Amino acid sequence: MHHLAFSSIASLVLSASVVSLASAAPLDINNGRVTLQLNIDLGEDAVGANAVAGDQLFAFSSMHLTQASPDQVVNGTELTGGLAGASGTFNFGINSAANMICYNITLQNFQGDFDSPATTATHIHEAARGASGPPRIAFPNPEPVNGDAAVRNSAGCLKGPFTTGVMVENKDSGEGFHVNQIEANPAAFMADVHSSLALPGAVRGQLA
Ligand SMILES: *[C@@H]1O[C@H](CO)[C@@H](O)[C@H](O)[C@H]1NC(C)=O
Ligand SMILES: *[C@@H]1O[C@H](CO)[C@@H](O)[C@H](O)[C@H]1NC(C)=O
């Protein structure tokens, strides 16, 4: 199976015919929340050709992948480290025209309780490597897969306007945020998850 080098894809449009190349599982639309299950196996030709065909069911203007680890966790500007033994894979697909971000987040060996002043403890923050910064998007916390708390997953899509529940200067830190800001400078953003055992972050990964 080919693995997509997400960061090298400037513009990837997923079309019905591309999806049909892969084993595409059902799409659930539940109370406005869309959950997609796509196992996409694109050959390098398809990616290079910027595959566009047929009905465009899903369109991502960019994709971002980060491997999150405890050693990247910063408290203020100090590299304090996170939750030993934990790791995370954060996959994002952005549709900037729709101000939408799809996510597939998997945590390994998360311990403690999800703990954050925000509405959830799983975030994209605006923060360069080695720095802290406000959450811009709060994602549903990953839940145990098949009852196994050692592997947790959260997948779906969110559409702006975004709210995080964190107030910065009397304003929600998600207010006015647009996903095109991530595309403009992915290095200025990171994904993380916060635990009661590691409040500054259990794991963290820079988007570029
Ligand atoms: C999320 O990614 C994992 C692989 O890391 C995959 O097994 C799973 O099916 C994906 N979930 C969705 C909803 O696409
Ligand atoms: C570091 O984290 C602790 C909580 O874990 C917090 O009380 C403290 O203010 C933080 N320091 C900085 C500089 O953010």
Side-chain angles (χ1 to χ4, degrees), residues 8-101:
S8 70
I9 301 169
S11 174
L12 172 63
V13 178
L14 299 181
S15 67
S17 65
V18 170
V19 170
S20 70
L21 292 174
S23 51
L27 168 68
D28 289 327
I29 300 180
N30 244 326
N31 297 327
R33 170 173 294 171
V34 180
T35 308
L36 348 161
Q37 167 118 29
L38 298 176
N39 288 309
I40 300 160
D41 183 6
L42 297 175
E44 276 156 44
D45 294 348
V47 174
N50 194 11
V52 180
D55 296 334
Q56 291 180 11
L57 296 176
F58 306 101
F60 293 134
S61 42
S62 66
M63 298 178 91
H64 306 265
L65 161 68
T66 186
Q67 298 293 343
S69 55
D71 58 289
Q72 298 178 68
V73 172
V74 165
N75 185 4
T77 54
E78 227 175 305
L79 213 54
T80 49
L83 188 66
S87 63
T89 305
F90 290 73
N91 280 289
F92 299 109
I94 286 177
N95 179 326
S96 58
N99 196 16
M100 182 175 81
I101 183 165

Side-chain angles (χ1 to χ4, degrees), residues 46 50 61 104 108 118 122 124 129-130 139-140 149 153 163 208:
N50 194 11
S61 42
N104 183 348
Q108 309 275 351
T122 307
I124 285 180
R129 191 177 299 277
F139 299 95
N153 181 261
T163 55

Side-chain angles (χ1 to χ4, degrees), residues 99-116:
N99 196 16
M100 182 175 81
I101 183 165
C102 297
Y103 55 92
N104 183 348
I105 300 165
T106 301
L107 297 179
Q108 309 275 351
N109 299 322
F110 182 85
Q111 313 270 326
D113 296 320
F114 290 108
D115 195 335
S116 167

Side-chain angles (χ1 to χ4, degrees), residues 100-182:
M100 182 175 81
I101 183 165
C102 297
Y103 55 92
N104 183 348
I105 300 165
T106 301
L107 297 179
Q108 309 275 351
N109 299 322
F110 182 85
Q111 313 270 326
D113 296 320
F114 290 108
D115 195 335
S116 167
T119 49
T120 73
T122 307
H123 309 140
I124 285 180
H125 291 253
E126 185 163 359
R129 191 177 299 277
S132 294
R136 297 302 187 199
I137 304 177
F139 299 95
N141 292 322
E143 291 173 1
V145 175
N146 300 325
D148 176 8
V151 183
R152 306 185 197 213
N153 181 261
S154 177
C157 299
L158 294 174
K159 214 163 145 13
F162 300 102
T163 55
T164 66
V166 171
M167 299 301 283
V168 177
E169 291 168 358
N170 296 322
K171 207 175 101 165
D172 188 285
S173 67
E175 191 181 322
F177 184 72
H178 196 291
V179 295
N180 64 15
Q181 295 171 248
I182 297 174

